[in-house]
Structures are given as C-alpha cells and as structure tokens.
C-alpha cells in the first residue's frame, strides 16, 4: 500500500484553494452537522465574483453572510431545518425549506451537488478518517 501520509499531504489544500473550486452556477452541499467553517467563509468572501450558487445547508449553524439580504444574486439557500442562524431568511421567504431523506441530492432532483463539503476527523495511524470527531 502506498504511503498514506504522502498521499494525504499531496491532496491537502487550503480553504481558499477549496473555495476557488466553486464556479458560478454550482450547487454546493454542506453535510449534516457542523459546516466546515473556514471553507464557508472563503466561499462567502467570493460573493462579488460568483453568481447563481445554490447552497444546501441541512441545519445552518454558522452565519457566513449568505443568510443576509443582498446576497440573493450570488447565493440561493436551501435547508432541511431552521435554526436561529437561519430563522430570518426563512421569515423573509428568501430561502427554500426542503424535506428529503437524501443528503447529497435534492428531493426535487432538479440538480445534483457539484461540490460536497464536510468535516472529517484527523487521519488515524492507518490513514482512515471518520465523519465524526472521536476524542480520547
């Protein structure tokens, strides 16, 4: 088996490099749980250069700015659950509330995700990561 640490280092990119993979018209999806904060901020910082981005956030936890009025030309928000972070955008009817049992594709099948963003644990001794953080 190839040295996993070298492969891991080769694939590791910064939040800004990850955000630069997003193109106008993309559908990006954050997975359930904590959103990847640094990447979310880096994508939001590209507000003035991107258009028509669909952002699916199952349960919004962080405010990256795209829930605010004036961000609608760049980011269309879809979510499963309303939180304190996203209550106002729902009250203002500036987002879509979706009901689905599929995390990476909308129930309406209008589009599949172009980019899926999730946090994983640091690699263990064999190079495996988990979708949940394990302590101890």
């Amino acid at each position: 088996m190839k040295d996993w640490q070298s492969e891991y280092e080769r694939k590791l990119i910064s939040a800004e490099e990850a955000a630069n993979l997003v193109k106008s018209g993309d559908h990006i999806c954050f997975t359930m749980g904590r959103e990847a904060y640094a990447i979310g901020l880096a994508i939001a910082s590209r507000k003035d250069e991107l258009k028509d981005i669909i952002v699916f956030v199952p349960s919004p936890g962080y405010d990256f700015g795209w829930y605010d009025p004036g961000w609608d030309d760049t980011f269309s928000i879809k979510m499963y659950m309303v939180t304190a972070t996203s209550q106002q955008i729902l009250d203002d009817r500036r987002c879509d509330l979706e009901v689905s049992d599929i995390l990476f594709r909308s129930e309406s099948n209008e589009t599949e995700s172009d980019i899926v963003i999730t946090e994983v644990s640091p690699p263990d001794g064999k190079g495996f990561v988990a979708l949940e953080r394990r302590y101890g």
Side-chain angles (χ1 to χ4, degrees):
M1 181 174 168
K2 193 172 185 177
D3 176 30
W4 70 263
Q5 291 162 325
S6 298
E7 187 70 8
Y8 173 78
E9 290 295 325
R10 187 182 68 76
K11 292 181 178 182
L12 202 57
I13 61 174
S14 70
E16 290 75 21
E17 289 170 308
N20 284 332
L21 297 174
V22 177
K23 304 177 303 302
S24 290
D26 276 353
H27 180 181
I28 61 175
C29 174
F30 286 85
T31 58
M32 188 66 82
R34 296 184 339 178
E35 299 102 302
Y37 187 69
I39 296 173
L41 286 176
I43 293 169
S45 75
R46 297 188 59 211
K47 173 187 179 281
D48 295 331
E49 62 187 85
L50 295 171
K51 294 285 182 219
D52 302 319
I53 302 295
I54 297 171
V55 180
F56 179 68
V57 185
S59 179
Y62 296 122
D63 186 354
F64 297 110
W66 49 54
Y67 303 115
D68 296 339
W71 289 63
D72 308 81
D73 286 344
T74 304
F75 300 105
S76 297
I77 307 300
K78 295 183 178 194
M79 65 187 84
Y80 282 150
M81 292 180 260
V82 181
T83 63
T85 301
S86 60
Q87 184 65 56
Q88 192 61 53
I89 193 173
L90 183 72
D91 291 348
D92 293 347
R93 297 177 185 226
R94 294 182 293 108
C95 69
D96 291 321
L97 191 61
E98 290 197 357
V99 178
S100 176
D101 60 348
I102 301 173
L103 199 54
F104 303 116
R105 194 165 92 186
S106 70
E107 183 68 21
S108 64
N109 289 325
E110 69 183 47
T111 186
E112 292 186 14
S113 297
D114 296 298
I115 298 173
V116 176
I117 302 168
T118 191
E119 283 191 340
V120 296
S121 69
D124 67 11
K126 294 182 180 179
F128 293 105
V129 298
L131 293 175
E132 59 185 66
R133 292 195 181 259
R134 296 177 188 247
Y135 299 96

